[in-house]
Amino acid sequence: MQRLVLSCCTVASLLVAREAAAACPTGVTWPAADWPEALVRGPTADAADDYLFTLTGRDEDRKGIRTDGVVIVHRGRIVYERYARGYARHNRHLAWSVSKSFLNAMVGVGVGRGALTVDDSICDHYDPGPELCDVTVGDLLDWGSGIDWNEGYEDDPYYLSSVIAMLYGIGSGDMAAFVASQGLAETPGTVYRYSSGDSVLLSAVLASALGPGLAGDYPWEFVFDPIGMTSAMFERDLAGTYVGSSYVYATPRDLARFGYLALREGCWAGEQLLPEGWIAASTQPNPSFQVGESYDHFLRDGDAVPGRHWWLNLPVPDLAHERRWPAAPPDTFAGLGHWGQTIFVIPSADLVLVRTADDREAGFDQNRYLELALALAAEDSP
Amino acid sequence: MIRRALLASTLALAACNAEAYDNNDAELAVRQKAKEMCSCLFVMELSEQECAAWTRVSPNVARATIDRENKRVHAVALGFWAADARFDGRHGCVHD
């Protein structure tokens, strides 16, 4: 199938130089059974407490900022940590769509082991029906499959939402088959459209590529166990497919381990866990994000620039769109989830930020949060 | 009782008018309540009160019955729609 040629000017203007790591970094701190701590005290930490943890309305009304937990890791040590609203350090929290960034890493390990490549047709590994054989693994990573999808949540009519039908409705028994049954709305690889369906289908493709020996265990074997995420749980549908769009659970401390894996370019304790260059490649604007319908979806969703199951802090000159988080440097990238779940990674500041929350309305200022975290890091003496 | 009947009529009408997916709100509500209540209690390990708040949706028609011993949740709505979810170790909760 003919693919659109990318606008070189558009892509070039979006790219930031992030060199792929030549080798795992030395001389950095790695968490062992638990994180080392170097808590920063003082006015900035107090300001973070005030901003992040002050309920501005009645809890039962679900108004205002509703933070459940925050862990900030600077140079491999926890410099800020706090919990609220019934949560404590031991409570797992639903990551919602931050799960998609976990799935990216699991696919990366699968690619590193030679089970699949990003250029493979998904039909090389999974049978979605002939209409979808032009969709590649990379297209799914880019949310660019072209599969017809309505990513509506509770504020939209339930009967129109593909994702609600997938998670709770007619698609919930075999979610990947449901996604595949939606058919194409666009030519694969040409249009970015944020889709939990693409992510779930990617989970099924990965499991099929790995084969029955690994299909049930890969999240633990590939990512959770090597980085010590002992709290991690990952839910599946009745067909046994991991719900890679939505259902990773872990404590904030363990979510920070995952952010730290990304910060260290896929290395953990000196070992290259993800393929060399995988994180760098995943944190560039994805090829299906280009003028036309992609921008329509982007503007409607109001999110950051999409990478490959990560979100980027880059401008979009074609739209006169500034960086999503101007307080943070342009190399910042993030896993973002419903109701305020976030993992921010800021390589140039050696920072990982985890926030779990139950924000049911817009109002939490991520930029202010990043500003406070960067100020905390600046106060963290070497 | 009248309010419940009106709500049931509205939901049934919504089901008839569903253009894209063959679900109705009550069916979605019980499946959401069973699965997310199970995950909240047995994965996130919050209290029943906290989980009731976490899983509240509109319309808030589903009611959950919790079997802590077997780590299961049964949800019903309007006396007709029902769904179950169970805890499955590191794989969290799944619909039955």
Side-chain angles (χ1 to χ4, degrees), chain A residues 59-62 66 68 85-87 90-94 96 148-150 154 158-165 167-173 178 182 216-217 220 225 232-238 242 247 249 339 341 357-358 360, chain B residues 11 14-15 17-36 38-40 42-47 50-60 83 86-96:
Chain A
D59 199 36
E60 54 268 39
D61 291 338
R62 295 173 159 175
R66 290 151 52 85
D68 295 331
R85 290 180 6 91
Y87 288 85
H90 71 273
N91 289 108
R92 297 177 189 89
H93 203 289
L94 175 56
W96 278 128
D148 196 8
W149 194 257
N150 176 355
E154 61 268 28
Y158 295 161
Y159 63 90
L160 292 177
S161 166
S162 308
V163 69
I164 287 175
L167 293 179
Y168 307 119
I170 57 171
S172 59
F178 170 75
Q182 301 306 295
D217 296 328
W220 282 267
D225 288 346
M233 290 190 179
F234 199 176
E235 292 179 334
R236 304 183 293 187
D237 65 10
L238 285 170
Y242 286 101
Y247 280 150
Y249 295 78
W339 299 340
Q341 322 315 315
D358 190 15
R360 300 298 178 110
Chain B
L11 291 168
N17 286 342
E19 291 170 19
Y21 296 110
D22 185 19
N23 293 306
N24 67 66
D25 287 0
E27 186 178 11
L28 292 171
V30 291
R31 292 182 64 79
Q32 180 271 347
K33 176 66 80 175
K35 192 288 178 186
E36 301 304 347
C38 176
S39 297
C40 182
F42 304 122
V43 178
M44 295 161 71
E45 300 180 292
L46 297 182
S47 70
E50 288 159 342
C51 290
W54 170 258
T55 59
R56 195 180 83 214
V57 295
S58 178
N60 192 26
R86 60 183 159 79
F87 180 71
D88 182 25
R90 68 180 185 175
H91 294 124
C93 287
V94 64
H95 286 120
D96 262 345

Side-chain angles (χ1 to χ4, degrees), chain A:
Chain A
M1 188 171 291
Q2 188 68 38
R3 300 204 172 216
L4 293 184
V5 177
L6 289 178
S7 157
C8 296
C9 295
T10 301
V11 173
S13 64
L14 289 170
L15 293 177
V16 285
R18 185 179 294 130
E19 297 290 327
C24 289
T26 55
V28 299
T29 300
W30 299 97
D34 210 344
W35 283 100
E37 294 179 21
L39 297 175
V40 173
R41 313 280 187 194
T44 305
D46 294 344
D49 288 349
D50 289 344
Y51 182 65
L52 294 165
F53 288 96
T54 301
L55 289 174
T56 53
R58 293 193 314 153
D59 199 36
E60 54 268 39
D61 291 338
R62 295 173 159 175
K63 301 288 187 190
I65 295 167
R66 290 151 52 85
T67 304
D68 295 331
V70 170
V71 169
I72 298 177
V73 174
H74 183 229
R75 294 192 286 117
R77 304 117 63 243
I78 291 179
V79 295
Y80 182 89
E81 179 175 32
R82 187 167 167 180
Y83 303 92
R85 290 180 6 91
Y87 288 85
R89 186 184 294 183
H90 71 273
N91 289 108
R92 297 177 189 89
H93 203 289
L94 175 56
W96 278 128
S97 290
V98 175
S99 307
K100 294 176 170 78
S101 301
F102 280 89
L103 178 61
N104 163 289
M106 292 163 192
V107 172
V109 177
V111 167
R113 292 187 179 202
L116 72 175
T117 78
V118 294
D119 296 323
D120 288 350
S121 161
I122 61 173
C123 297
D124 293 344
H125 306 288
Y126 177 83
D127 181 12
E131 188 189 8
L132 298 185
C133 287
D134 286 329
V135 177
T136 66
V137 171
D139 292 336
L140 295 177
L141 278 166
D142 293 339
W143 296 303
S145 69
I147 294 172
D148 196 8
W149 194 257
N150 176 355
E151 185 80 12
Y153 302 114
E154 61 268 28
D155 294 335
D156 299 312
Y158 295 161
Y159 63 90
L160 292 177
S161 166
S162 308
V163 69
I164 287 175
M166 178 182 78
L167 293 179
Y168 307 119
I170 57 171
S172 59
D174 185 341
M175 298 187 191
F178 170 75
V179 175
S181 73
Q182 301 306 295
L184 287 175
E186 288 110 8
T187 303
T190 63
V191 176
Y192 155 75
R193 178 203 296 241
Y194 179 64
S195 165
S196 290
D198 279 9
S199 302
V200 166
L201 186 53
L202 182 58
S203 290
V205 170
L206 174 60
S208 294
L210 295 172
L214 269 174
D217 296 328
Y218 73 83
W220 282 267
E221 183 165 333
F222 284 10
V223 175
F224 297 151
D225 288 346
I227 67 174
M229 284 186 65
T230 55
S231 72
M233 290 190 179
F234 199 176
E235 292 179 334
R236 304 183 293 187
D237 65 10
L238 285 170
T241 299
Y242 286 101
V243 186
S245 60
S246 314
Y247 280 150
V248 168
Y249 295 78
T251 63
R253 280 185 169 228
D254 276 357
L255 293 171
R257 286 174 179 265
F258 180 67
Y260 200 65
L261 172 71
L263 177 78
R264 299 295 179 222
E265 297 269 10
C267 289
W268 193 262
E271 299 287 326
Q272 189 77 51
L273 183 60
L274 307 186
E276 201 172 307
W278 181 262
I279 291 293
S282 298
T283 52
Q284 302 293 342
N286 75 49
S288 64
F289 182 62
Q290 52 191 313
V291 294
E293 286 194 54
S294 293
Y295 284 179
D296 294 341
H297 293 302
F298 170 74
L299 291 169
R300 190 166 57 240
D301 296 343
D303 271 321
V305 169
R308 290 196 144 175
H309 278 51
W310 284 99
W311 299 97
L312 316 179
N313 190 28
L314 299 177
V316 186
D318 289 348
L319 299 174
H321 180 88
E322 298 303 318
R323 298 201 314 267
R324 174 71 177 76
W325 306 291
D331 66 341
T332 301
F333 58 97
L336 302 177
H338 203 36
W339 299 340
Q341 322 315 315
T342 53
I343 299 178
F344 282 102
V345 180
I346 312 179
S348 57
D350 207 338
L351 262 176
V352 172
L353 287 62
V354 170
R355 176 174 182 260
T356 56
D358 190 15
D359 296 338
R360 300 298 178 110
E361 63 174 8
F364 180 70
D365 184 350
Q366 291 175 334
N367 207 52
R368 171 78 177 132
Y369 167 46
L370 286 158
E371 209 170 54
L372 286 163
L374 287 160
L376 275 172
E379 290 177 17
D380 176 30
S381 54

